[in-house]
PDB file of all heavy atoms in Angstrom:
ATOM      1  N   PHE A   1       1.519  -7.481 -17.120  1.00 97.00           N
ATOM      2  CA  PHE A   1       1.750  -6.535 -15.813  1.00 97.00           C
ATOM      3  C   PHE A   1       3.170  -6.127 -15.803  1.00 97.00           C
ATOM      4  O   PHE A   1       3.434  -4.887 -15.426  1.00 97.00           O
ATOM      5  CB  PHE A   1       1.194  -7.258 -14.592  1.00 97.00           C
ATOM      6  CG  PHE A   1      -0.247  -7.201 -14.493  1.00 97.00           C
ATOM      7  CD1 PHE A   1      -0.933  -8.344 -14.052  1.00 97.00           C
ATOM      8  CD2 PHE A   1      -0.956  -6.066 -14.534  1.00 97.00           C
ATOM      9  CE1 PHE A   1      -2.353  -8.423 -13.980  1.00 97.00           C
ATOM     10  CE2 PHE A   1      -2.310  -6.005 -14.395  1.00 97.00           C
ATOM     11  CZ  PHE A   1      -3.023  -7.179 -14.086  1.00 97.00           C
ATOM     12  N   GLU A   2       4.142  -7.001 -15.981  1.00 96.00           N
ATOM     13  CA  GLU A   2       5.539  -6.660 -15.819  1.00 96.00           C
ATOM     14  C   GLU A   2       5.864  -5.587 -16.754  1.00 96.00           C
ATOM     15  O   GLU A   2       6.679  -4.634 -16.377  1.00 96.00           O
ATOM     16  CB  GLU A   2       6.483  -7.842 -16.051  1.00 96.00           C
ATOM     17  CG  GLU A   2       7.857  -7.665 -15.740  1.00 96.00           C
ATOM     18  CD  GLU A   2       8.103  -7.355 -14.294  1.00 96.00           C
ATOM     19  OE1 GLU A   2       7.913  -8.288 -13.425  1.00 96.00           O
ATOM     20  OE2 GLU A   2       8.497  -6.236 -13.912  1.00 96.00           O
ATOM     21  N   LYS A   3       5.344  -5.569 -17.929  1.00 96.00           N
ATOM     22  CA  LYS A   3       5.683  -4.585 -18.905  1.00 96.00           C
ATOM     23  C   LYS A   3       4.876  -3.340 -18.627  1.00 96.00           C
ATOM     24  O   LYS A   3       5.251  -2.143 -18.753  1.00 96.00           O
ATOM     25  CB  LYS A   3       5.345  -5.067 -20.353  1.00 96.00           C
ATOM     26  CG  LYS A   3       6.286  -6.145 -20.813  1.00 96.00           C
ATOM     27  CD  LYS A   3       5.761  -6.665 -22.110  1.00 96.00           C
ATOM     28  CE  LYS A   3       6.699  -7.907 -22.537  1.00 96.00           C
ATOM     29  NZ  LYS A   3       6.164  -8.570 -23.808  1.00 96.00           N
ATOM     30  N   ALA A   4       3.648  -3.376 -18.231  1.00 95.00           N
ATOM     31  CA  ALA A   4       2.678  -2.186 -18.076  1.00 95.00           C
ATOM     32  C   ALA A   4       3.014  -1.595 -16.762  1.00 95.00           C
ATOM     33  O   ALA A   4       2.738  -0.351 -16.617  1.00 95.00           O
ATOM     34  CB  ALA A   4       1.327  -2.708 -18.167  1.00 95.00           C
ATOM     35  N   GLN A   5       3.325  -2.293 -15.663  1.00 94.00           N
ATOM     36  CA  GLN A   5       3.444  -1.762 -14.260  1.00 94.00           C
ATOM     37  C   GLN A   5       4.680  -2.294 -13.620  1.00 94.00           C
ATOM     38  O   GLN A   5       4.437  -3.022 -12.628  1.00 94.00           O
ATOM     39  CB  GLN A   5       2.162  -2.022 -13.512  1.00 94.00           C
ATOM     40  CG  GLN A   5       0.935  -1.585 -14.068  1.00 94.00           C
ATOM     41  CD  GLN A   5      -0.381  -1.947 -13.332  1.00 94.00           C
ATOM     42  OE1 GLN A   5      -0.402  -2.031 -12.166  1.00 94.00           O
ATOM     43  NE2 GLN A   5      -1.472  -2.403 -13.989  1.00 94.00           N
ATOM     44  N   PRO A   6       5.801  -2.024 -14.094  1.00 94.00           N
ATOM     45  CA  PRO A   6       7.021  -2.721 -13.542  1.00 94.00           C
ATOM     46  C   PRO A   6       7.394  -2.309 -12.103  1.00 94.00           C
ATOM     47  O   PRO A   6       7.956  -2.968 -11.414  1.00 94.00           O
ATOM     48  CB  PRO A   6       8.051  -2.387 -14.478  1.00 94.00           C
ATOM     49  CG  PRO A   6       7.640  -1.027 -15.141  1.00 94.00           C
ATOM     50  CD  PRO A   6       6.174  -1.228 -15.249  1.00 94.00           C
ATOM     51  N   ASN A   7       6.990  -1.112 -11.755  1.00 92.00           N
ATOM     52  CA  ASN A   7       7.408  -0.509 -10.393  1.00 92.00           C
ATOM     53  C   ASN A   7       6.109  -0.315  -9.511  1.00 92.00           C
ATOM     54  O   ASN A   7       6.053   0.573  -8.730  1.00 92.00           O
ATOM     55  CB  ASN A   7       8.000   0.793 -10.594  1.00 92.00           C
ATOM     56  CG  ASN A   7       9.300   0.730 -11.480  1.00 92.00           C
ATOM     57  OD1 ASN A   7      10.083  -0.202 -11.298  1.00 92.00           O
ATOM     58  ND2 ASN A   7       9.409   1.654 -12.474  1.00 92.00           N
ATOM     59  N   VAL A   8       5.126  -1.226  -9.604  1.00 92.00           N
ATOM     60  CA  VAL A   8       3.937  -1.116  -8.891  1.00 92.00           C
ATOM     61  C   VAL A   8       4.141  -1.278  -7.356  1.00 92.00           C
ATOM     62  O   VAL A   8       5.125  -2.064  -6.952  1.00 92.00           O
ATOM     63  CB  VAL A   8       2.954  -2.165  -9.261  1.00 92.00           C
ATOM     64  CG1 VAL A   8       3.426  -3.618  -9.035  1.00 92.00           C
ATOM     65  CG2 VAL A   8       1.595  -1.865  -8.852  1.00 92.00           C
ATOM     66  N   THR A   9       3.489  -0.672  -6.537  1.00 90.00           N
ATOM     67  CA  THR A   9       3.545  -0.756  -5.067  1.00 90.00           C
ATOM     68  C   THR A   9       2.182  -0.357  -4.451  1.00 90.00           C
ATOM     69  O   THR A   9       1.262   0.012  -5.191  1.00 90.00           O
ATOM     70  CB  THR A   9       4.689   0.065  -4.484  1.00 90.00           C
ATOM     71  OG1 THR A   9       4.839  -0.342  -3.032  1.00 90.00           O
ATOM     72  CG2 THR A   9       4.429   1.530  -4.614  1.00 90.00           C
ATOM     73  N   THR A  10       2.086  -0.385  -3.150  1.00 91.00           N
ATOM     74  CA  THR A  10       0.857  -0.074  -2.591  1.00 91.00           C
ATOM     75  C   THR A  10       0.464   1.429  -2.712  1.00 91.00           C
ATOM     76  O   THR A  10       1.415   2.273  -2.910  1.00 91.00           O
ATOM     77  CB  THR A  10       0.952  -0.286  -0.926  1.00 91.00           C
ATOM     78  OG1 THR A  10      -0.298   0.044  -0.389  1.00 91.00           O
ATOM     79  CG2 THR A  10       2.040   0.431  -0.407  1.00 91.00           C
ATOM     80  N   GLU A  11      -0.759   1.753  -2.644  1.00 92.00           N
ATOM     81  CA  GLU A  11      -1.230   3.124  -2.763  1.00 92.00           C
ATOM     82  C   GLU A  11      -1.303   3.856  -1.529  1.00 92.00           C
ATOM     83  O   GLU A  11      -1.535   4.997  -1.384  1.00 92.00           O
ATOM     84  CB  GLU A  11      -2.638   3.184  -3.559  1.00 92.00           C
ATOM     85  CG  GLU A  11      -2.537   2.736  -5.002  1.00 92.00           C
ATOM     86  CD  GLU A  11      -3.809   2.942  -5.796  1.00 92.00           C
ATOM     87  OE1 GLU A  11      -4.869   2.672  -5.169  1.00 92.00           O
ATOM     88  OE2 GLU A  11      -3.760   3.279  -6.902  1.00 92.00           O
ATOM     89  N   LEU A  12      -1.066   3.074  -0.392  1.00 94.00           N
ATOM     90  CA  LEU A  12      -1.135   3.630   0.975  1.00 94.00           C
ATOM     91  C   LEU A  12       0.211   4.409   1.106  1.00 94.00           C
ATOM     92  O   LEU A  12       1.244   4.145   0.664  1.00 94.00           O
ATOM     93  CB  LEU A  12      -1.223   2.478   2.026  1.00 94.00           C
ATOM     94  CG  LEU A  12      -2.521   1.674   2.087  1.00 94.00           C
ATOM     95  CD1 LEU A  12      -2.355   0.478   2.942  1.00 94.00           C
ATOM     96  CD2 LEU A  12      -3.610   2.597   2.537  1.00 94.00           C
ATOM     97  N   HIS A  13       0.023   5.507   2.006  1.00 96.00           N
ATOM     98  CA  HIS A  13       1.114   6.410   2.271  1.00 96.00           C
ATOM     99  C   HIS A  13       1.679   6.113   3.693  1.00 96.00           C
ATOM    100  O   HIS A  13       0.865   5.987   4.586  1.00 96.00           O
ATOM    101  CB  HIS A  13       0.705   7.919   2.204  1.00 96.00           C
ATOM    102  CG  HIS A  13       0.307   8.246   0.877  1.00 96.00           C
ATOM    103  ND1 HIS A  13      -0.466   9.440   0.661  1.00 96.00           N
ATOM    104  CD2 HIS A  13       0.457   7.726  -0.376  1.00 96.00           C
ATOM    105  CE1 HIS A  13      -0.764   9.503  -0.678  1.00 96.00           C
ATOM    106  NE2 HIS A  13      -0.245   8.440  -1.322  1.00 96.00           N
ATOM    107  N   PHE A  14       2.891   5.895   3.826  1.00 96.00           N
ATOM    108  CA  PHE A  14       3.520   5.603   5.173  1.00 96.00           C
ATOM    109  C   PHE A  14       4.970   5.831   5.222  1.00 96.00           C
ATOM    110  O   PHE A  14       5.513   6.015   4.169  1.00 96.00           O
ATOM    111  CB  PHE A  14       3.271   4.049   5.492  1.00 96.00           C
ATOM    112  CG  PHE A  14       3.911   3.177   4.548  1.00 96.00           C
ATOM    113  CD1 PHE A  14       5.271   2.655   4.697  1.00 96.00           C
ATOM    114  CD2 PHE A  14       3.364   2.760   3.292  1.00 96.00           C
ATOM    115  CE1 PHE A  14       5.826   1.825   3.828  1.00 96.00           C
ATOM    116  CE2 PHE A  14       3.970   1.948   2.271  1.00 96.00           C
ATOM    117  CZ  PHE A  14       5.157   1.458   2.560  1.00 96.00           C
ATOM    118  N   GLY A  15       5.506   5.946   6.383  1.00 96.00           N
ATOM    119  CA  GLY A  15       6.898   6.392   6.519  1.00 96.00           C
ATOM    120  C   GLY A  15       7.696   5.304   7.428  1.00 96.00           C
ATOM    121  O   GLY A  15       8.878   5.557   7.620  1.00 96.00           O
ATOM    122  N   SER A  16       7.033   4.250   7.881  1.00 97.00           N
ATOM    123  CA  SER A  16       7.735   3.270   8.682  1.00 97.00           C
ATOM    124  C   SER A  16       6.882   1.969   8.650  1.00 97.00           C
ATOM    125  O   SER A  16       5.740   1.979   8.268  1.00 97.00           O
ATOM    126  CB  SER A  16       7.812   3.725  10.176  1.00 97.00           C
ATOM    127  OG  SER A  16       6.558   3.858  10.753  1.00 97.00           O
ATOM    128  N   ALA A  17       7.478   0.986   9.224  1.00 96.00           N
ATOM    129  CA  ALA A  17       6.798  -0.296   9.261  1.00 96.00           C
ATOM    130  C   ALA A  17       5.492  -0.255  10.142  1.00 96.00           C
ATOM    131  O   ALA A  17       4.485  -0.690   9.863  1.00 96.00           O
ATOM    132  CB  ALA A  17       7.633  -1.444   9.876  1.00 96.00           C
ATOM    133  N   PHE A  18       5.615   0.628  11.256  1.00 97.00           N
ATOM    134  CA  PHE A  18       4.457   0.747  12.058  1.00 97.00           C
ATOM    135  C   PHE A  18       3.448   1.531  11.375  1.00 97.00           C
ATOM    136  O   PHE A  18       2.230   1.114  11.400  1.00 97.00           O
ATOM    137  CB  PHE A  18       4.917   1.675  13.333  1.00 97.00           C
ATOM    138  CG  PHE A  18       3.828   2.121  14.171  1.00 97.00           C
ATOM    139  CD1 PHE A  18       3.053   1.092  14.950  1.00 97.00           C
ATOM    140  CD2 PHE A  18       3.243   3.361  14.207  1.00 97.00           C
ATOM    141  CE1 PHE A  18       2.004   1.492  15.792  1.00 97.00           C
ATOM    142  CE2 PHE A  18       2.230   3.688  14.922  1.00 97.00           C
ATOM    143  CZ  PHE A  18       1.570   2.833  15.767  1.00 97.00           C
ATOM    144  N   GLN A  19       3.701   2.620  10.626  1.00 98.00           N
ATOM    145  CA  GLN A  19       2.687   3.326   9.933  1.00 98.00           C
ATOM    146  C   GLN A  19       2.101   2.529   8.771  1.00 98.00           C
ATOM    147  O   GLN A  19       0.827   2.609   8.521  1.00 98.00           O
ATOM    148  CB  GLN A  19       3.293   4.582   9.320  1.00 98.00           C
ATOM    149  CG  GLN A  19       3.643   5.607  10.398  1.00 98.00           C
ATOM    150  CD  GLN A  19       4.251   6.934   9.919  1.00 98.00           C
ATOM    151  OE1 GLN A  19       4.286   7.116   8.712  1.00 98.00           O
ATOM    152  NE2 GLN A  19       4.727   7.785  10.823  1.00 98.00           N
ATOM    153  N   LEU A  20       2.835   1.649   8.134  1.00 97.00           N
ATOM    154  CA  LEU A  20       2.220   0.636   7.119  1.00 97.00           C
ATOM    155  C   LEU A  20       1.226  -0.224   7.812  1.00 97.00           C
ATOM    156  O   LEU A  20       0.229  -0.541   7.273  1.00 97.00           O
ATOM    157  CB  LEU A  20       3.417  -0.106   6.483  1.00 97.00           C
ATOM    158  CG  LEU A  20       2.908  -1.196   5.551  1.00 97.00           C
ATOM    159  CD1 LEU A  20       2.001  -0.592   4.370  1.00 97.00           C
ATOM    160  CD2 LEU A  20       4.178  -1.975   4.914  1.00 97.00           C
ATOM    161  N   LEU A  21       1.610  -0.734   9.005  1.00 97.00           N
ATOM    162  CA  LEU A  21       0.781  -1.692   9.703  1.00 97.00           C
ATOM    163  C   LEU A  21      -0.555  -1.000  10.035  1.00 97.00           C
ATOM    164  O   LEU A  21      -1.650  -1.558   9.924  1.00 97.00           O
ATOM    165  CB  LEU A  21       1.474  -2.178  10.954  1.00 97.00           C
ATOM    166  CG  LEU A  21       0.816  -3.168  11.869  1.00 97.00           C
ATOM    167  CD1 LEU A  21       0.660  -4.514  11.061  1.00 97.00           C
ATOM    168  CD2 LEU A  21       1.570  -3.558  13.069  1.00 97.00           C
ATOM    169  N   VAL A  22      -0.476   0.245  10.585  1.00 97.00           N
ATOM    170  CA  VAL A  22      -1.679   1.049  10.982  1.00 97.00           C
ATOM    171  C   VAL A  22      -2.523   1.307   9.711  1.00 97.00           C
ATOM    172  O   VAL A  22      -3.645   1.065   9.777  1.00 97.00           O
ATOM    173  CB  VAL A  22      -1.234   2.379  11.623  1.00 97.00           C
ATOM    174  CG1 VAL A  22      -2.458   3.263  11.737  1.00 97.00           C
ATOM    175  CG2 VAL A  22      -0.660   2.022  13.034  1.00 97.00           C
ATOM    176  N   SER A  23      -1.883   1.716   8.648  1.00 97.00           N
ATOM    177  CA  SER A  23      -2.617   2.006   7.460  1.00 97.00           C
ATOM    178  C   SER A  23      -3.262   0.818   6.818  1.00 97.00           C
ATOM    179  O   SER A  23      -4.441   0.827   6.369  1.00 97.00           O
ATOM    180  CB  SER A  23      -1.698   2.571   6.489  1.00 97.00           C
ATOM    181  OG  SER A  23      -1.195   3.838   6.793  1.00 97.00           O
ATOM    182  N   THR A  24      -2.650  -0.227   6.832  1.00 95.00           N
ATOM    183  CA  THR A  24      -3.244  -1.585   6.357  1.00 95.00           C
ATOM    184  C   THR A  24      -4.399  -1.984   7.242  1.00 95.00           C
ATOM    185  O   THR A  24      -5.410  -2.414   6.585  1.00 95.00           O
ATOM    186  CB  THR A  24      -2.231  -2.621   6.200  1.00 95.00           C
ATOM    187  OG1 THR A  24      -1.065  -2.182   5.479  1.00 95.00           O
ATOM    188  CG2 THR A  24      -2.651  -3.900   5.558  1.00 95.00           C
ATOM    189  N   LEU A  25      -4.261  -1.924   8.472  1.00 96.00           N
ATOM    190  CA  LEU A  25      -5.335  -2.254   9.415  1.00 96.00           C
ATOM    191  C   LEU A  25      -6.537  -1.383   9.214  1.00 96.00           C
ATOM    192  O   LEU A  25      -7.666  -1.883   9.061  1.00 96.00           O
ATOM    193  CB  LEU A  25      -4.832  -2.201  10.911  1.00 96.00           C
ATOM    194  CG  LEU A  25      -5.764  -2.685  12.048  1.00 96.00           C
ATOM    195  CD1 LEU A  25      -4.909  -2.937  13.304  1.00 96.00           C
ATOM    196  CD2 LEU A  25      -6.817  -1.581  12.429  1.00 96.00           C
ATOM    197  N   LEU A  26      -6.302  -0.215   8.997  1.00 96.00           N
ATOM    198  CA  LEU A  26      -7.381   0.871   8.702  1.00 96.00           C
ATOM    199  C   LEU A  26      -8.068   0.594   7.437  1.00 96.00           C
ATOM    200  O   LEU A  26      -9.232   0.868   7.224  1.00 96.00           O
ATOM    201  CB  LEU A  26      -6.906   2.264   8.816  1.00 96.00           C
ATOM    202  CG  LEU A  26      -6.494   2.791  10.267  1.00 96.00           C
ATOM    203  CD1 LEU A  26      -5.948   4.171  10.119  1.00 96.00           C
ATOM    204  CD2 LEU A  26      -7.720   2.845  11.204  1.00 96.00           C
ATOM    205  N   SER A  27      -7.344   0.015   6.423  1.00 93.00           N
ATOM    206  CA  SER A  27      -7.859  -0.021   5.161  1.00 93.00           C
ATOM    207  C   SER A  27      -8.853  -1.168   4.846  1.00 93.00           C
ATOM    208  O   SER A  27      -9.387  -1.354   3.821  1.00 93.00           O
ATOM    209  CB  SER A  27      -6.679  -0.241   4.138  1.00 93.00           C
ATOM    210  OG  SER A  27      -6.110  -1.510   4.255  1.00 93.00           O
ATOM    211  N   ALA A  28      -9.044  -1.980   5.864  1.00 88.00           N
ATOM    212  CA  ALA A  28      -9.988  -3.116   5.755  1.00 88.00           C
ATOM    213  C   ALA A  28     -11.426  -2.642   5.464  1.00 88.00           C
ATOM    214  O   ALA A  28     -11.801  -1.782   6.311  1.00 88.00           O
ATOM    215  CB  ALA A  28     -10.003  -3.992   6.949  1.00 88.00           C
ATOM    216  N   GLN A  29     -11.970  -3.058   4.297  1.00 86.00           N
ATOM    217  CA  GLN A  29     -13.318  -2.592   3.963  1.00 86.00           C
ATOM    218  C   GLN A  29     -13.393  -0.976   3.820  1.00 86.00           C
ATOM    219  O   GLN A  29     -14.388  -0.367   4.099  1.00 86.00           O
ATOM    220  CB  GLN A  29     -14.378  -3.039   4.929  1.00 86.00           C
ATOM    221  CG  GLN A  29     -14.408  -4.646   4.858  1.00 86.00           C
ATOM    222  CD  GLN A  29     -15.443  -5.228   5.798  1.00 86.00           C
ATOM    223  OE1 GLN A  29     -15.624  -4.846   6.933  1.00 86.00           O
ATOM    224  NE2 GLN A  29     -16.283  -6.149   5.226  1.00 86.00           N
ATOM    225  N   CYS A  30     -12.280  -0.447   3.401  1.00 89.00           N
ATOM    226  CA  CYS A  30     -12.277   1.012   3.090  1.00 89.00           C
ATOM    227  C   CYS A  30     -11.241   1.270   2.105  1.00 89.00           C
ATOM    228  O   CYS A  30     -10.474   0.534   1.769  1.00 89.00           O
ATOM    229  CB  CYS A  30     -11.791   1.726   4.524  1.00 89.00           C
ATOM    230  SG  CYS A  30     -12.114   3.459   4.690  1.00 89.00           S
ATOM    231  N   THR A  31     -11.461   2.480   1.382  1.00 90.00           N
ATOM    232  CA  THR A  31     -10.533   2.775   0.274  1.00 90.00           C
ATOM    233  C   THR A  31      -9.214   3.336   0.795  1.00 90.00           C
ATOM    234  O   THR A  31      -9.099   3.993   1.790  1.00 90.00           O
ATOM    235  CB  THR A  31     -11.263   3.712  -0.684  1.00 90.00           C
ATOM    236  OG1 THR A  31     -11.365   5.011   0.002  1.00 90.00           O
ATOM    237  CG2 THR A  31     -12.557   3.377  -1.019  1.00 90.00           C
TER     238      THR A  31
END
């Protein structure tokens, strides 16, 4: 994985800690 995906991160889009929190909460049992 380190060789194939060295810069991996979440696929969620967000601009702040609050928006990441909201997006993650919403993502439960959803794509």
